[in-house]
Amino acid sequence: MVTDHGLVAAKDLRVGMKVWTLDGWKTITEVLNNGVQPVYEVEFENGLEVKVTADHRFMTPHGWKRLDELKEGDYVRFVFDGVEFENGLELCTERDPELVAEFLGYWCGDGSVSTSDHVTLYAGSDKELARHLEKTVKQLAGNAYLLNDGSQLLIDVHRKDFADFVRKFFDFSGPSNSKKRRVPELILRSKKNIQRAFLRGLFSADGSVYDANGSVTLALSSSSKELLKQVQLMLLCFGIPTTLTREKKPERKKIKGNAYYTVGTWRILLNG
């Protein structure tokens, strides 16, 4: 849900919060528990998905309609434009909040945490980006090393407190797993300047720009479909529509007689 506290799951809505509607902000005066009901997953042509009950209403060209009154091919309206999260959270950190958010975005796209507490960012062959990341991590962690492992540039810091700092935001323990990446809840519920910084870092890591038949397309790829669905919602709050598509399916391959499966990827596309 789009609220004055950022993007909040329906289960976390509270009386006094404001939700964004066709008529602007409306204050929640009551939160009702409708008991246990069947839940349906609705997928839209741009890849967005929502889970709702049969009596959930959508705005259509013919007025409000319940889900059980809709059919495949009907049009519905999303209401995101012009929203500001006036009561969004501030990142509770002694560090620069926007710098933290940008680092977290980059790490979410192209970083790792090892079991031995190494926090690593991967920068490919981009020396300018690598130097920027090195400076950022030094500001946040106190030290960092710019290394070349023979195939790419990477920035590494070995500090348990900093590794735990990253784990806390992404809510995991032990080593990281790229397929389970999500936008941290604190980011989703933060003000837009913090969300903007997170997206800047994420697109710096996994974004690409290419010319598709004369049309410039910006894309963001990930092995985590859930992450991209969250990013779609964040971008809509900035007035930026996207389309979610499958990029590569998992493939079965053999190397030296050993079979393994590649990781499938998804992507969101911004056409302009």
Side-chain angles (χ1 to χ4, degrees):
M1 299 288 292
V2 180
T3 79
D4 59 330
H5 289 73
L7 294 168
V8 178
K11 64 181 179 63
D12 296 323
L13 295 175
R14 298 291 182 268
V15 171
M17 283 185 174
K18 297 177 182 178
V19 294
W20 188 247
T21 73
L22 286 170
D23 300 315
W25 292 112
K26 297 293 183 181
T27 301
I28 297 175
T29 58
E30 188 176 7
V31 177
L32 301 176
N33 184 342
N34 292 327
V36 179
Q37 297 187 45
V39 174
Y40 301 88
E41 186 171 82
V42 183
E43 182 176 347
F44 301 95
E45 64 179 351
N46 63 355
L48 273 175
E49 298 173 355
V50 295
K51 294 180 180 179
V52 296
T53 53
D55 59 353
H56 184 89
R57 297 194 306 159
F58 292 90
M59 172 55 76
T60 77
H62 307 289
W64 291 98
K65 286 192 175 183
R66 292 163 44 117
L67 173 64
D68 53 15
E69 297 174 322
L70 296 175
K71 64 182 184 299
E72 186 175 348
D74 285 347
Y75 287 92
V76 300
R77 179 177 177 183
F78 293 106
V79 186
F80 288 88
D81 42 315
V83 65
E84 289 291 341
F85 305 140
E86 59 185 52
N87 292 316
L89 296 175
E90 299 284 356
L91 291 186
C92 297
T93 172
E94 297 176 354
R95 304 167 172 93
D96 178 347
E98 289 192 25
L99 193 66
V100 169
E102 183 178 345
F103 162 79
L104 292 173
Y106 194 94
W107 183 91
C108 187
D110 219 348
S112 66
V113 174
S114 71
T115 53
S116 57
D117 298 322
H118 281 270
V119 179
T120 308
L121 302 180
Y122 304 91
S125 59
D126 191 329
K127 294 180 180 179
E128 182 179 356
L129 174 61
R131 286 192 293 268
H132 170 71
L133 294 173
E134 180 188 21
K135 180 181 178 181
T136 298
V137 177
K138 280 183 176 179
Q139 287 181 256
L140 297 177
N143 70 306
Y145 298 94
L146 175 56
L147 308 171
N148 189 331
D149 68 357
S151 62
Q152 66 174 322
L153 298 169
L154 54 90
I155 295 83
D156 185 81
V157 57
H158 186 199
R159 286 185 53 178
K160 185 179 187 305
D161 61 338
F162 193 62
D164 287 342
F165 175 77
V166 176
R167 291 185 179 113
K168 180 187 73 173
F169 271 101
F170 289 94
D171 193 23
F172 71 92
S173 59
S176 53
N177 184 332
S178 62
K179 292 177 67 176
K180 296 181 179 180
R181 297 283 166 90
R182 304 288 186 273
V183 179
E185 184 178 352
L186 279 174
I187 297 295
L188 291 174
R189 298 184 66 167
S190 291
K191 293 184 176 181
K192 290 181 78 172
N193 64 309
I194 299 299
Q195 295 197 15
R196 188 181 295 111
F198 181 89
L199 291 170
R200 182 167 62 246
L202 182 59
F203 273 85
S204 294
D206 278 342
S208 59
V209 180
Y210 58 91
D211 189 329
N213 299 319
S215 176
V216 176
T217 298
L218 177 63
L220 178 70
S221 301
S222 177
S223 58
S224 172
K225 184 180 180 182
E226 292 303 314
L227 169 66
L228 294 183
K229 289 196 294 185
Q230 291 175 313
V231 172
Q232 272 194 300
L233 292 175
M234 293 173 71
L235 289 172
L236 276 176
C237 291
F238 286 95
I240 303 173
T242 63
T243 301
L244 175 64
T245 65
R246 167 68 87 176
E247 185 175 39
K248 294 180 181 178
K249 293 182 178 180
E251 294 180 345
R252 186 175 185 275
K253 294 188 176 183
K254 275 191 174 184
I255 295 181
K256 297 181 179 179
N258 296 317
Y260 72 98
Y261 284 90
T262 61
V263 177
T265 57
W266 299 83
R267 65 179 177 179
I268 52 176
L269 303 174
L270 295 76
N271 296 314

